[in-house]
């Protein structure tokens, strides 16, 4: 059976050139990058090259790149590490802001911090299209707001957030505080995992202080990520050991993985320029085909403000899980909500935050495309899906 993979938001197939670049570091070049001998030097050189490739992609200095075990760890270090450092400055009560639609790797850090007496957390809501408002954001800022974490592109809906506007507001507040000699600093972190494929992640253009990326979402390997930490920003480690990565991420460097993410980022510009149109074309074809051939389907999101590879579609009256299983039986891989939340039958926190009713959120399917998908594959989905939906609606209990 032909297999059709439409779950690129969960993970992507690895680029063969990336794998080729990694291979020697599993075998002949197996040295520990911190060893002093020649084996170590070779590994260390490969890490340095990857750091420079990453810096090129981010438009930052190589010294501002911290390699981690993934974006989950990058988010944890950014958020918990920064707050821990700020708490050492005796600022008194501090206020931090995130959005309601963040990845659990961000949300759960904020939920943890919220339990501390000296920390107040605000969760910026989204509109029905899944997008935060910069005006609402501005209203949330207080004199003691020290940190904002706002994702770039949402993993479930593909909704693109107004990161630039958020950064501008933050800059304005910082300038005002500087003039007034206020004691509170203000830092901006973005989880750019889902943006790195098709959007510019130039940290200077975006005006961010901290940014998280993941290897396996950009045709690179799993188990490796990047945290951009702007010069002079002090983070406290949240993990202890051998002091690798400027003490921020103790643990033997994953050399093959680091080589892989550095290599994968080299292809980012290519993807942005050539693949973005192709992928969004296929995605539009899918949305059109599905909505024309199936009644009661809604796009959870806004066509004008969505990443090129996402389509989150809500099928009224049925459970997303049964659609997913029926499609899988036909060799078509999609997801409900986010991969991490799969298995749990809770409706997606992102869709609920958009004001979608619980029973409708249960009927959501996330299609996320990649550059290896073809028109033929999308035609197959458009042909198979109406029958599946019709059958499931027939057997669904009426409420
Ligand atoms: C996948 C994902 C993560 C987690 O990345 P890992 O490298 O798998 O830990 C974090 N944020 C977003 C938006 C994601 O899509």
């Amino acid at each position: 059976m032909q297999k059709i993979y439409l779950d690129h938001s969960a993970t992507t197939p690895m680029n063969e050139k990336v794998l080729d670049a990694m291979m020697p570091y599993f075998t002949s070049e197996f040295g520990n990058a911190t060893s002093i001998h020649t084996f170590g030097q070779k590994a260390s050189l490969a890490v340095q090259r990857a750091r420079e490739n990453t810096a090129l992609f981010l438009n930052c200095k190589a010294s501002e790149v911290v390699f981690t075990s993934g974006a989950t760890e990058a988010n944890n270090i950014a958020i918990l590490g920064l707050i821990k450092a700020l708490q050492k400055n005796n600022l008194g009560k501090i206020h931090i802001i995130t959005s309601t639609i963040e990845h659990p790797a961000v949300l759960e850090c904020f939920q943890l911090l919220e339990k501390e007496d000296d920390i107040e957390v605000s969760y910026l809501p989204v509109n029905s299209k899944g997008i935060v408002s910069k005006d609402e954001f501005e209203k949330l800022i207080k004199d003691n707001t020290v940190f904002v974490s706002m994702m770039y592109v949402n993993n479930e809906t593909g909704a693109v957030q107004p990161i630039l506007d958020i950064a501008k507001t933050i800059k304005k507040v910082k300038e005002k505080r500087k003039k007034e000699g206020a004691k509170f600093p203000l830092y901006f972190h973005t989880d750019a995992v889902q943006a790195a494929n098709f959007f510019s992640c130039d940290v200077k253009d975006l005006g961010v202080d901290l940014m998280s990326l993941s290897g396996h979402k950009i045709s690179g390997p799993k188990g490796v990520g990047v945290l951009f930490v702007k010069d002079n920003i002090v983070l406290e480690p949240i993990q202890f050991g051998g002091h690798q990565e400027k003490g921020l991420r103790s643990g033997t460097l994953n050399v093959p993985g680091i080589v892989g993410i550095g290599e994968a980022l080299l292809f980012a510009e290519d993807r942005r320029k050539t693949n973005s149109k192709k992928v969004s074309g296929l995605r539009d074809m899918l949305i059109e085909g599905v909505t024309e051939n199936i009644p009661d389907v809604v796009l959870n999101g806004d066509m004008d403000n969505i990443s090129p590879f996402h389509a989150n579609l809500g099928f009224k009256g049925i459970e997303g899980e049964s659609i997913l299983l029926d499609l899988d039986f036909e060799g078509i891989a999609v997801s409900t909500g986010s991969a991490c939340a799969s298995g749990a039958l809770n409706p997606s926190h992102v869709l609920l935050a958009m004001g979608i009713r619980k029973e409708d959120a249960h009927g959501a399917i996330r299609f996320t495309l990649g550059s290896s998908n073809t028109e033929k594959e999308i035609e197959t989905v458009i042909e198979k899906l109406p029958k599946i939906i019709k059958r499931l609606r027939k057997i669904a209990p009426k409420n």
Side-chain angles (χ1 to χ4, degrees), residues 29-163:
E29 313 296 339
F30 61 86
N32 184 325
T34 56
S35 297
I36 302 197
H37 48 62
T38 315
F39 288 88
Q41 290 168 21
K42 283 204 167 165
S44 162
L45 211 67
V47 169
Q48 186 52 25
R49 268 200 308 273
R51 210 183 289 286
E52 278 156 18
N53 290 347
T54 306
L56 212 62
F57 173 77
L58 294 171
N59 187 24
C60 69
K61 292 183 219 155
S63 59
E64 293 173 313
V65 172
V66 174
F67 289 115
T68 67
S69 70
T72 298
E73 190 178 55
N75 286 338
N76 273 261
I77 296 173
I79 301 164
L80 302 177
L82 181 76
I83 298 307
K84 230 172 127 184
L86 290 176
Q87 282 175 320
K88 282 195 160 174
N89 297 344
N90 299 319
L91 291 167
K93 187 142 185 145
I94 55 175
H95 174 238
I96 57 181
I97 302 175
T98 190
S99 80
T100 50
I101 56 159
E102 297 297 317
H103 189 275
V106 167
L107 266 187
E108 292 188 17
C109 287
F110 276 81
Q111 284 158 3
L112 185 74
L113 291 170
E114 198 171 12
K115 297 196 180 113
E116 300 196 19
D117 292 336
D118 60 340
I119 300 175
E120 186 196 351
V121 178
S122 293
Y123 297 92
L124 182 60
V126 293
N127 65 15
S128 62
K129 305 296 184 189
I131 297 166
V132 300
S133 141
K134 74 168 190 335
D135 296 331
E136 292 302 316
F137 170 68
E138 205 160 344
K139 282 187 221 153
L140 277 186
I141 297 182
K142 307 182 186 196
D143 287 343
N144 65 342
T145 306
V146 290
F147 180 56
V148 177
S149 181
M150 204 72 67
M151 76 195 320
Y152 194 161
V153 171
N154 182 264
N155 47 308
E156 295 190 33
T157 62
V160 183
Q161 304 303 319
I163 291 304

Side-chain angles (χ1 to χ4, degrees), residues 9 43 73 96 131 168 185 197 257 261 305 318:
S9 198
E73 190 178 55
I96 57 181
I131 297 166
K168 270 185 205 146
N197 261 325
I261 195 170
N305 236 323
I318 22 182

Side-chain angles (χ1 to χ4, degrees), residues 172-203:
K172 212 171 61 188
V173 173
K174 276 162 91 165
E175 278 163 8
K176 184 165 166 275
R177 285 187 189 173
K178 200 170 169 190
K179 237 184 259 161
E180 294 166 351
K183 70 171 175 176
F184 291 101
L186 180 54
Y187 298 102
F188 183 25
H189 165 255
T190 189
D191 174 341
V193 170
Q194 297 285 337
N197 261 325
F198 297 113
F199 293 85
S200 162
C201 290
D202 182 318
V203 292

Side-chain angles (χ1 to χ4, degrees), residues 200-358:
S200 162
C201 290
D202 182 318
V203 292
K204 293 205 178 72
D205 284 351
L206 291 172
V208 298
D209 301 305
L210 299 146
M211 178 187 279
S212 309
L213 301 174
S214 172
H216 72 104
K217 307 286 177 81
I218 54 169
S219 310
K222 292 169 185 63
V224 64
V226 162
L227 177 62
F228 158 72
V229 185
K230 197 166 153 186
D231 258 353
N232 301 322
I233 293 185
V234 180
L235 302 182
E236 280 289 311
I238 58 168
Q239 172 171 317
F240 304 90
H243 300 277
Q244 286 89 346
E245 297 300 274
K246 294 191 284 183
L248 276 179
R249 201 275 170 182
S250 280
T252 303
L253 294 188
N254 168 9
V255 180
I258 290 169
V259 168
I261 195 170
E263 197 72 13
L265 287 170
L266 283 181
F267 294 102
E269 187 149 318
D270 246 18
R271 272 196 295 272
R272 208 152 62 228
K273 290 201 174 123
T274 56
N275 293 344
S276 172
K277 270 214 175 71
K278 182 199 163 188
V279 174
S280 65
L282 292 176
R283 189 271 317 273
D284 294 349
M285 177 182 160
L286 175 72
I287 295 176
E288 219 178 278
V290 169
T291 46
E292 271 172 13
N293 292 294
I294 301 173
D296 288 324
V297 184
V298 290
L299 174 73
N300 295 319
D302 176 4
M303 277 314 272
D304 295 330
N305 236 323
I306 193 171
S307 108
F309 71 113
H310 283 82
N312 189 310
L313 297 172
F315 298 86
K316 288 224 186 307
I318 22 182
E319 294 287 331
E321 276 75 13
S322 22
I323 306 173
L324 182 154
L325 292 174
D326 277 15
L327 281 173
D328 189 46
F329 190 72
E330 300 282 354
I332 302 165
V334 298
S335 84
T336 61
S338 59
C340 330
S342 299
L345 275 173
N346 291 325
S348 140
H349 72 284
V350 174
L351 298 181
L352 294 183
M354 290 159 69
I356 293 170
R357 295 186 316 161
K358 216 170 162 178

